[in-house]
Amino acid sequence: MYQTVSTIQASSLTYYDLEFLLEGLMRTIYISIVSILIGTFFGIIFGYFKSNSGPISNIFLSGFLDILRSVPLIIQFILFYSFMGILEIDISVFWVGAIVLSAYTSAFVTEVVRAGIDSVPQTTRRASRSLGLSYWQDYRYIVFPLGVRTVFPAWISIVLSVIKDSALVSVIGYLELLKTTEELISKTQEALLLLLGVGFFYFIISYPISLYAAHLERKLKI
């Protein structure tokens, strides 16, 4: 009788299970977009300071960003979540995940932006200033258009990485795509089918981004 009950409990996937899975997919997309936008914003600011500030300021900023890049992301999630609990700060698991992912993203975007700014030859920048462009006009009309060609491919790689790394938010209980899949596997015992479905979902998110990025990159080179 026990085996019969177990077989019934390990039921096939239903419409409601698919709906639950799609909700997890939407949460994955949502936290990825929020983290990419915030991380890119701060990465641009940090990248600008790294390119233009003195060596002493760079030591502190580089040290902080190196920690974010070096410590495994899953450990950052657990430590930050535990730290919020110790301080008794009422914060949702979504924002715990978004803050950590944003900081992690900004650490990589910083180096990409710094490299983009530094890739613009100083002779070109001096020529723009000699033509009467102000400091910010130099950035707007010279540094930004030229730097984007260097930054864009690397930034897309970071975006794709963040989308995949968002699965690690499941360790703190956020019901994103991987977490919902784990719960459905426990319910239905359809591990292979569900994991293939999750892989397909990540593919249909990432592949169009890669194609569009390649298209834009070709246009930037024209």
Side-chain angles (χ1 to χ4, degrees):
M1 182 179 292
Y2 176 77
Q3 291 181 345
T4 304
V5 173
S6 298
T7 303
I8 293 174
Q9 288 178 341
S11 59
S12 300
L13 289 169
T14 65
Y15 169 79
Y16 298 103
D17 295 329
L18 179 59
E19 186 177 10
F20 183 57
L21 198 63
L22 290 175
E23 288 177 2
L25 175 63
M26 295 308 297
R27 292 191 184 99
T28 292
I29 295 173
Y30 182 47
I31 197 170
S32 298
I33 291 174
V34 170
S35 302
I36 290 165
L37 291 177
I38 296 175
T40 299
F41 174 76
F42 283 102
I44 292 172
I45 295 174
F46 294 153
Y48 169 79
F49 280 113
K50 280 205 70 175
S51 179
N52 292 279
S53 59
I56 296 178
S57 301
N58 269 336
I59 289 174
F60 292 102
L61 182 58
S62 298
F64 172 70
L65 296 175
D66 285 341
I67 291 173
L68 292 176
R69 284 192 297 266
S70 303
V71 177
L73 188 55
I74 191 171
I75 295 178
Q76 295 184 42
F77 282 127
I78 296 172
L79 288 178
F80 187 71
Y81 185 65
S82 301
F83 188 63
M84 292 295 101
I86 293 170
L87 295 179
E88 298 183 352
I89 297 176
D90 187 16
I91 182 173
S92 66
V93 289
F94 168 81
W95 280 112
V96 170
I99 290 171
V100 173
L101 263 180
S102 298
Y104 186 74
T105 303
S106 69
F108 288 94
V109 174
T110 296
E111 290 303 319
V112 169
V113 171
R114 181 200 57 76
I117 293 174
D118 293 346
S119 69
V120 181
Q122 287 298 319
T123 53
T124 303
R125 301 191 63 180
R126 282 195 293 267
S128 68
R129 299 301 295 275
S130 67
L131 291 174
L133 295 181
S134 67
Y135 179 81
W136 293 114
Q137 285 176 327
D138 172 46
Y139 265 89
R140 179 180 178 184
Y141 297 110
I142 305 298
V143 177
F144 179 75
L146 295 177
V148 163
R149 302 186 181 192
T150 303
V151 167
F152 188 72
W155 181 77
I156 289 297
S157 297
I158 294 172
V159 167
L160 296 176
S161 177
V162 170
I163 292 173
K164 290 180 286 187
D165 289 340
S166 66
L168 298 175
V169 187
S170 61
V171 299
I172 58 174
Y174 182 65
L175 276 173
E176 44 70 64
L177 183 56
L178 183 61
K179 186 68 174 178
T180 55
T181 302
E182 290 175 354
E183 295 195 5
L184 288 178
I185 289 175
S186 299
K187 173 187 173 184
T188 66
Q189 304 301 315
E190 295 283 358
L192 180 61
L193 178 61
L194 285 167
L195 290 175
L196 285 173
V198 169
F200 176 72
F201 279 138
Y202 277 113
F203 174 78
I204 61 176
I205 295 173
S206 302
Y207 188 61
I209 295 175
S210 299
L211 287 180
Y212 187 63
H215 171 69
L216 287 180
E217 189 176 355
R218 287 192 298 269
K219 290 184 67 176
L220 289 173
K221 288 181 179 179
I222 297 177

